[in-house]
């Protein structure tokens, strides 16, 4: 909302303050400042001149005129001008030599087109009044010659632009902002809606409301004899332009002007194009309407329409129809003002992708009492500025709506703020907002019921707040504040007007607790371990596309293809909740490589979403008027997917960087497997690594990760077709592991192991096994055979060649033995080693390799 300061001052007796000081006060009151722009402060030496003589110059490609202009000086000024819309005797704005126009444009005396030009005759755009550059601005004939144009036209002004949130729709008007400014400065406020309406009898054009849920007040007034050639006055066009709206024609400008001033959208119909009674209703199936933007729209049965006997003539509160548009020959006009359903207009506007200045106001809530006032002021201006005559009568279709009443303890705002407010302060602040406050407690209001007069009451929270001895007050919010519906809303009004800056800053006491859960500690440990291992954490959106399943080569029966579909996705390209972390990580890796970072190692921790079997497709939507029952909560829980926590890594390029110190090392499947080992180590678990074939990994370079008999993830190099589909670097590797399963398998509290003071005995052993034998199986056999004396085992060499025979490989292990109570003898360690070799021979057919 753009608010010219000069317009604001019409209704508020502001002191001598700058626009920045006004903006600071409004910001403190809760209105968010977007920007402040200044107009005309740099303009100088612009005066009113009268054209005495015009000489048409020939021989040029465009019309050129040499003018003699009287400016109140000793002699007339010679000025060369290219515009042709003025004649001798017209009074025009003239910039004298040394003058400055908006934007710092300086004007001097110079010779042009063979004649001297001592200044410049200005258009409205050159003066910063509008975008009109069709010709010179012609002033009224009684304008004093030599008068200062800056003062005469009010060129100097400041415009405060505010961002209006959905809860303060009243501030989308000069009226609403002026009321806030008056409260902020403690000065008088003159309500532009405080006008005396005529005592009229009889209707204007016939109208009715067919659907009370769509509209509860509909007002029509008429004028006749309107002059379609009448122009909007300069002051109106200037204000519209500075408030961000383009002047169109007098009838349209009047409706826009009053919408900006009062906050009540209006619409003007050409009376000669209306047929029969106007009815406000919902759309019927198959109806269509061509709106003012020349788009034919298919209407939805939930759309709110204004119709006559021919059918729809306007999308209520959003945009008018083309058939009843005010045209250049319209002389009879019907002005419409109404109060439409805020939710209905909001849905209609979004359904058609049609957001207008009117719909922005209606969806935030418009003052229900304004239609009579706004329509009367509109016909008055049409009569005053357009020569129209006001036809007697007014059509006023209305659905009875009772005002809300809210009962609260007077100490409730202080309890919310943590600062005690006197009852007198609470009452005064609420009355400044426009509320009617009365002492006492109406039991019906407190209980959230209906009082004996049938007034709708809102007090469910009040009933909870009220206790014996409370000093209760009953509040009726003003019609322009439909957002005030419960005690917390009223408390917020008191607090913001008292000043947020006056609230003390007090840190809340930390509640006693058990600290982080084991799962939270595990997640933090895993993140630190991977970061220390060279990975960078990323956070991706949990949304994926159905095409991702194809790019990952997932089989048709793969459980990861069964995904939850969002009812209202951020992007139609990614409407599914992820069932794996890999798509988001792979896209992030591609984005980094595309920006010149070729060596990338990323990790992400987060949930995946796996639909449960036999779960309902849509979760039930419950009301908020009461706490859900146990069965209702169970029905919601049943519709929710399983959300296990996972960790995944992707890496490409060099994992160990090259440099002056030497060559680096390319990332490989082994690094992905090692990342899984890092994660498992933080869980105090040991992984079993087994060769596997599992999409999207390379069938020959994929490892299944087990804890005992439980599969917890996979790691390895991605399939070449997956790499090609995503545009990844060659040999990209990845790992995905389910943290939730690791957490459930974690051992109990860590016990400090006994540290032996006796020396370690080391035995090396090399075994020949078939080359398809998993290393994990060989190691497991050695551990089981060595017994309790084995402290650790490490694979330090793998060899395949002529010395071990075709189809075989040699695995060399270093085995460390130690006893807790004695120094081991050579015989004991040799026996343990031999038992380990025998176990490996029995399980996997291993043979001891000779020297």
């Amino acid at each position: 909302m753009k608010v010219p300061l000069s317009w604001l001052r019409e209704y508020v007796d502001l002191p001598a303050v700058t626009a920045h000081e006004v903006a600071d006060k409004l910001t403190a009151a809760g209105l968010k400042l977007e920007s402040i722009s200044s107009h005309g402060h740099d303009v100088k030496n612009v005066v009113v001149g009268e054209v005495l003589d015009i000489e048409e110059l020939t021989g040029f490609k465009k019309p050129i005129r040499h003018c003699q202009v009287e400016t109140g000086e000793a002699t007339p000024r010679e000025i060369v001008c290219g515009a042709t819309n003025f004649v001798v005797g017209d009074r025009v704005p003239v910039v004298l030599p040394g003058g400055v126009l908006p934007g710092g444009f300086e004007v001097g005396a110079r010779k042009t087109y063979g004649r001297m030009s001592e200044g410049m005759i200005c258009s409205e755009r050159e003066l910063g009044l509008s975008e009109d550059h069709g010709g010179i601005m012609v002033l009224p004939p009684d304008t004093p010659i030599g008068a200062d144009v800056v003062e005469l036209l009010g060129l100097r002004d400041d415009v405060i632009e505010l961002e209006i949130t959905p809860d303060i729709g009243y501030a989308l008007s000069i009226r609403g902002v002026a009321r806030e400014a008056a409260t902020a400065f403690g000065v008088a406020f003159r309500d532009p809606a405080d006008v005396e309406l005529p005592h009229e009898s009889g209707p204007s054009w016939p109208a009715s409301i067919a659907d009370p849920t769509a509209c509860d007040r509909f007002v029509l007034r008429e004028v006749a004899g309107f002059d379609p050639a009448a122009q909007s006055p300069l002051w109106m066009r200037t204000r519209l332009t500075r408030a961000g709206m383009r002047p169109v024609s007098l009838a349209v400008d009047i409706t826009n002007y009053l919408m900006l001033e009062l906050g009540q959208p209006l619409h003007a119909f050409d009376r000669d194009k209306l047929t029969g009674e106007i009815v406000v209703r919902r759309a019927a199936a198959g109806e269509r309407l061509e709106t003012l933007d020349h788009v034919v729209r298919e209407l939805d049965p939930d759309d709110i329409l204004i119709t006559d006997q021919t059918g729809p003539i306007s999308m209520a509160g959003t945009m008018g129809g083309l058939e009843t548009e005010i045209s250049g020959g319209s002389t009879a006009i019907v002005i419409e003002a109404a109060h439409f359903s805020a939710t209905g207009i909001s849905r209609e506007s979004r359904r058609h992708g049609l957001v207008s200045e009117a719909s922005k106001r209606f969806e935030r809530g418009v003052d229900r009492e304004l239609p009579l006032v706004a329509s009367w002021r509109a016909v008055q201006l049409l009569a005053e500025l357009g020569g129209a005559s006001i036809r007697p009568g007014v059509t006023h279709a209305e659905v009875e709506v009772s005002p809300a009443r809210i009962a609260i303890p007077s100490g409730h705002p202080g309890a919310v703020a943590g600062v005690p407010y006197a009852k007198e302060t609470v009452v005064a602040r609420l009355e400044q907002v426009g509320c009617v406050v009365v002492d006492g407690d109406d039991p019906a209001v407190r209980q959230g019921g209906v009082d004996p007069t049938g007034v709708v009451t809102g007090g469910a929270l009040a009933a909870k707040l009220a206790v014996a001895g409370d000093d209760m007050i009953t509040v009726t919010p003003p019609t322009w504040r439909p957002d005030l519906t419960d005690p917390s809303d009223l408390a917020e009004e008191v607090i913001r007007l008292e000043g947020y800056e006056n609230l003390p800053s007090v840190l809340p006491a930390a509640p006693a607790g058990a600290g982080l859960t084991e799962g939270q500690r595990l997640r933090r440990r895993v993140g630190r371990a991977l970061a220390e291992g060279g990975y960078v954490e990323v956070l991706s959106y949990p949304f994926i596309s159905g095409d991702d399943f194809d790019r990952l080569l997932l089989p048709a029966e793969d459980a990861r293809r069964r995904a939850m579909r969002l009812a209202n996705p951020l992007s139609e390209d990614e409407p599914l909740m992820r069932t794996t972390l890999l798509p988001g990580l792979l896209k992030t890796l591609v984005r980094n490589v595309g920006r010149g970072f070729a060596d990338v190692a990323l990790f992400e921790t987060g949930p995946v979403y796996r639909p449960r079997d036999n779960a309902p497709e849509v979760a039930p939507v419950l009301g908020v008027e009461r706490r859900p029952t146990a069965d209702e909560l169970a029905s919601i829980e049943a519709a929710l997917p399983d959300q296990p926590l996972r960790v995944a890594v992707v890496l490409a390029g060099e994992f160990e960087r090259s440099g002056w110190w030497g060559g680096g090392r390319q990332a490989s499947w082994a690094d992905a497997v090692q990342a899984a080992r890092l994660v498992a180590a933080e869980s105090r678990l040991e992984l079993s690594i087994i060769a596997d074939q599992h999409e999207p990994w390379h069938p020959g370079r994929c490892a299944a990760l087990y804890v005992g008999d439980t599969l917890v993830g996979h790691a390895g190099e991605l399939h070449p077709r997956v790499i090609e589909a995503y545009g990844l670097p060659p040999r990209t590797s990845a790992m995905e592991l389910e943290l939730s399963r690791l957490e459930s398998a974690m051992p109990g509290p860590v016990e400090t192991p006994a540290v032996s003071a006796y020396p370690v005995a080391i035995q090396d052993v090399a075994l020949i096994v078939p080359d398809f034998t998993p290393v994990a199986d060989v190691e497991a056999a050695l551990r089981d055979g060595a017994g309790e004396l084995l402290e650790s085992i490490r694979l330090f060499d793998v060899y395949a060649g002529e010395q071990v025979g075709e189809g075989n490989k040699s695995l060399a292990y270093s085995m460390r033995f130690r006893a807790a109570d004695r120094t081991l003898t050579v015989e004991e360690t040799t026996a343990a080693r031999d038992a380990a070799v025998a176990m490996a021979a029995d399980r996997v057919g291993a043979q001891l390799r000779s020297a």
Side-chain angles (χ1 to χ4, degrees):
M1 177 67 189
K2 294 183 177 181
V3 182
L5 197 57
S6 61
W7 202 349
L8 195 66
R9 288 186 184 275
E10 276 195 19
Y11 305 115
V12 187
D13 294 326
L14 292 175
V17 292
T18 65
H20 288 274
E21 290 173 305
V22 175
D24 288 343
K25 287 282 190 179
L26 294 175
T27 300
L31 277 66
K32 183 180 178 183
L33 175 67
E34 277 286 301
S35 63
I36 299 175
S37 56
S38 295
H39 300 269
H41 291 279
D42 52 350
V43 178
K44 65 178 182 179
N45 213 12
V46 183
V47 300
V48 176
E50 181 179 355
V51 180
L52 302 178
D53 182 60
I54 299 176
E55 179 187 356
E56 304 285 348
L57 303 182
T58 59
F60 301 102
K61 294 182 179 179
K62 60 180 180 178
I64 300 296
R65 311 169 97 191
H66 182 243
C67 307
Q68 300 288 330
V69 183
E70 173 63 52
T71 60
E73 299 174 297
T75 58
R77 294 278 183 175
E78 299 179 58
I79 300 177
V80 174
C81 181
T84 60
N85 67 308
F86 61 96
V87 297
V88 172
D90 281 346
R91 300 200 175 181
V92 294
V94 178
V95 188
L96 298 177
V100 180
L101 289 175
F105 179 72
E106 296 186 10
V107 176
R110 64 190 181 95
K111 192 171 185 178
T112 180
Y113 295 101
R115 300 295 179 93
M116 178 60 67
S117 183
E118 301 173 302
M120 174 179 171
I121 306 175
C122 303
S123 68
E124 289 185 13
R125 190 172 74 175
E126 288 162 343
L127 291 174
L129 290 172
S130 72
E131 291 301 311
D132 184 11
H133 197 53
I136 293 303
M137 179 181 181
V138 179
L139 300 170
D142 57 348
T143 307
I145 297 174
D148 185 353
V149 171
V150 173
E151 297 297 331
L152 181 71
L153 302 181
L155 294 183
R156 292 193 181 98
D157 203 355
D158 294 298
V159 177
I160 302 171
E161 184 173 1
L162 302 170
E163 179 183 330
I164 307 303
T165 54
D167 60 321
I168 54 172
Y170 67 92
L172 276 172
S173 66
I174 300 297
R175 181 195 187 204
V177 177
R179 181 178 282 107
E180 290 292 339
T183 302
F185 284 96
V187 296
F189 165 65
R190 292 179 295 278
D191 190 349
D194 186 14
V195 298
E196 185 177 350
L197 298 176
H199 298 287
E200 295 174 308
S201 61
S204 179
W205 190 274
S208 63
I209 298 172
D211 188 342
T213 66
C215 175
D216 57 36
R217 177 164 281 176
F218 192 76
V219 175
L220 297 177
R221 296 183 190 270
E222 293 182 56
V223 297
F226 175 73
D227 180 6
Q231 298 293 315
S232 301
L234 179 62
W235 58 266
M236 180 177 287
R237 286 183 281 129
T238 300
R239 284 188 170 176
L240 287 173
T241 301
R242 289 183 176 167
M245 300 197 76
R246 180 177 61 88
V248 179
S249 64
L250 178 57
V252 175
D253 291 350
I254 286 173
T255 60
N256 287 337
Y257 181 85
L258 291 174
M259 178 181 66
L260 291 172
E261 184 174 79
L262 300 175
Q264 171 66 55
L266 300 166
H267 188 70
F269 294 104
D270 187 330
R271 185 180 185 276
D272 296 332
K273 297 177 182 178
L274 297 176
T275 306
E277 181 185 22
I278 291 178
V279 179
V280 183
R281 60 171 173 83
R282 302 279 180 175
E287 284 191 304
R288 307 169 74 191
L289 174 67
E290 184 174 3
T291 46
L292 292 172
D293 55 358
H294 298 275
V295 175
V296 178
R297 302 184 184 275
E298 300 288 341
L299 301 175
D300 186 272
D302 199 36
D303 288 341
I304 304 173
L305 301 181
I306 300 174
T307 66
D308 66 3
Q309 287 184 358
T310 65
I313 58 174
S314 176
M315 292 177 63
T318 305
M319 184 173 285
L322 190 63
E323 287 298 319
T324 55
E325 177 187 18
I326 297 292
S327 62
S330 301
T331 60
I333 296 174
V334 175
I335 293 292
E336 168 256 310
H339 185 258
F340 298 112
S341 163
T343 55
I345 298 301
S346 177
R347 290 170 181 166
E348 176 179 279
S349 172
R350 280 153 181 75
R351 187 181 301 115
H352 293 279
L354 187 60
V355 179
S356 63
E357 290 294 328
S359 70
K360 285 194 293 186
R361 286 162 174 81
F362 276 121
E363 69 184 11
R364 286 167 169 81
V366 172
D367 186 353
R368 187 176 180 273
E369 299 301 319
L370 278 177
L372 285 169
V373 173
S375 60
W376 173 243
R377 288 202 57 200
V379 296
Q380 281 185 310
L381 287 174
L382 287 171
E384 177 185 340
L385 303 176
S389 59
I390 302 174
R391 295 175 66 95
V394 58
T395 298
H396 183 195
E398 182 180 18
V399 177
E400 187 64 31
V401 176
S402 300
R405 296 169 64 199
I406 307 169
I408 65 168
S410 62
H412 177 57
V416 173
V419 176
Y421 296 132
K423 178 183 176 181
E424 293 75 14
T425 300
V426 172
V427 172
R429 289 303 189 184
L430 292 176
E431 288 178 342
Q432 281 182 320
V433 173
C435 297
V436 176
V437 183
V438 296
D439 284 331
D441 176 19
D442 185 331
V445 176
R446 172 185 286 198
Q447 294 168 11
V450 179
D451 70 10
T453 65
V455 174
V456 179
T457 62
L461 180 57
K464 181 179 178 181
L465 296 171
V467 296
D470 278 340
D471 191 1
M472 301 293 292
I473 56 176
T474 301
V475 182
T476 303
T479 55
W480 58 83
R481 293 300 303 272
D483 57 301
L484 303 181
T485 59
D486 62 50
S488 294
D489 295 330
L490 301 180
E492 181 182 4
E493 293 301 301
V494 174
I495 295 167
R496 75 176 182 88
L497 293 180
E498 282 294 300
Y500 293 120
E501 69 279 5
N502 296 323
L503 297 179
S505 179
V506 179
L507 290 175
L516 299 176
T517 65
E518 187 58 37
Q520 290 169 329
R521 286 196 288 270
L522 172 62
R523 183 169 178 173
R524 292 191 180 191
R525 289 199 305 269
V526 166
R528 283 194 294 268
L530 289 174
E532 291 168 358
Y535 293 86
V536 176
E537 185 172 16
V538 299
L539 184 64
S540 306
Y541 282 119
F543 313 124
I544 60 173
S545 165
D547 294 339
D548 284 313
F549 301 142
D550 298 329
R551 286 193 283 262
L552 293 175
L553 305 180
L554 302 186
E557 68 280 1
D558 196 298
R560 288 170 290 179
R561 279 188 175 269
R562 186 172 171 230
M564 298 284 290
R565 180 174 291 274
L566 294 167
N568 187 23
L570 290 178
S571 169
E572 292 298 335
D573 295 333
E574 295 181 324
L576 305 176
M577 298 296 289
R578 67 187 178 194
T579 57
T580 168
L581 298 180
L582 291 180
L585 274 172
L586 297 179
K587 293 171 186 176
T588 304
L589 186 145
V590 168
R591 192 176 303 115
N592 278 270
V593 171
R595 294 178 180 178
F597 299 96
D599 307 314
V600 185
L602 308 174
F603 83 94
E604 181 173 8
T605 305
V608 296
Y609 305 88
R610 308 297 291 271
R612 299 172 181 171
D613 294 333
N614 303 319
E617 293 186 3
V618 179
V621 179
L622 306 180
V624 296
E625 68 277 358
R626 58 175 175 80
R627 188 184 189 281
T629 65
D631 290 342
E632 289 172 336
L633 291 174
S635 67
I636 294 175
E637 182 66 28
L640 295 177
D642 287 326
Q643 301 177 46
L645 188 66
R646 292 193 174 188
V647 60
V649 307
V650 295
L651 59 162
E654 290 186 345
F655 192 68
E656 294 178 3
R657 302 298 172 83
S658 58
W660 58 265
W661 52 85
R665 181 177 65 80
Q666 291 292 312
S668 71
W669 62 267
D671 295 301
V673 173
Q674 180 58 25
R677 288 196 176 100
L678 287 175
V679 173
E682 296 301 324
S683 310
R684 305 191 301 279
L685 297 169
E686 191 165 340
L687 292 177
S688 296
I689 314 296
I690 300 175
D692 195 9
Q693 292 187 18
H694 186 72
E695 295 78 6
W697 283 274
H698 191 296
R701 303 187 183 111
C702 173
L705 313 173
Y706 283 86
V707 172
D709 295 330
T710 302
L711 177 67
V712 294
H714 287 84
E717 183 181 311
L718 292 176
H719 196 290
R721 286 167 57 192
V722 175
I723 291 174
E724 180 181 0
Y726 278 100
L728 301 167
R731 309 297 293 271
T732 297
S733 299
M735 177 275 291
E736 186 171 23
L737 186 150
E738 195 150 305
L739 277 179
S740 298
R741 293 181 182 176
L742 289 185
E743 182 185 352
S744 61
M746 286 174 61
V750 178
E751 296 182 6
T752 304
V755 179
S756 175
Y758 295 93
V760 67
I762 300 176
Q763 292 276 356
D764 291 343
V765 60
L767 302 176
I768 298 175
V769 296
D771 56 9
F772 58 80
T773 305
V775 172
D777 291 351
V778 178
E779 184 175 313
L782 290 173
R783 284 184 181 278
D784 293 344
E788 296 181 354
L789 294 179
L790 182 66
E791 183 179 79
S792 67
I793 182 171
R794 180 174 65 88
L795 176 68
F796 67 86
D797 185 53
V798 178
Y799 171 75
E802 296 180 359
Q803 297 182 23
V804 296
E806 186 177 353
N808 295 325
K809 63 183 176 183
S810 171
L811 306 176
Y813 291 91
S814 177
M815 306 176 70
R816 293 165 59 92
F817 297 92
R818 195 193 313 255
D821 56 352
R822 68 189 186 280
T823 299
L824 295 176
T825 64
V826 174
E827 290 76 11
E828 287 178 303
T829 57
T830 301
R833 183 201 65 183
D834 292 343
V837 172
M839 182 66 74
D842 182 59
R843 285 192 185 176
V844 298
Q847 300 177 13
L848 190 65
R849 181 181 175 185
S850 61

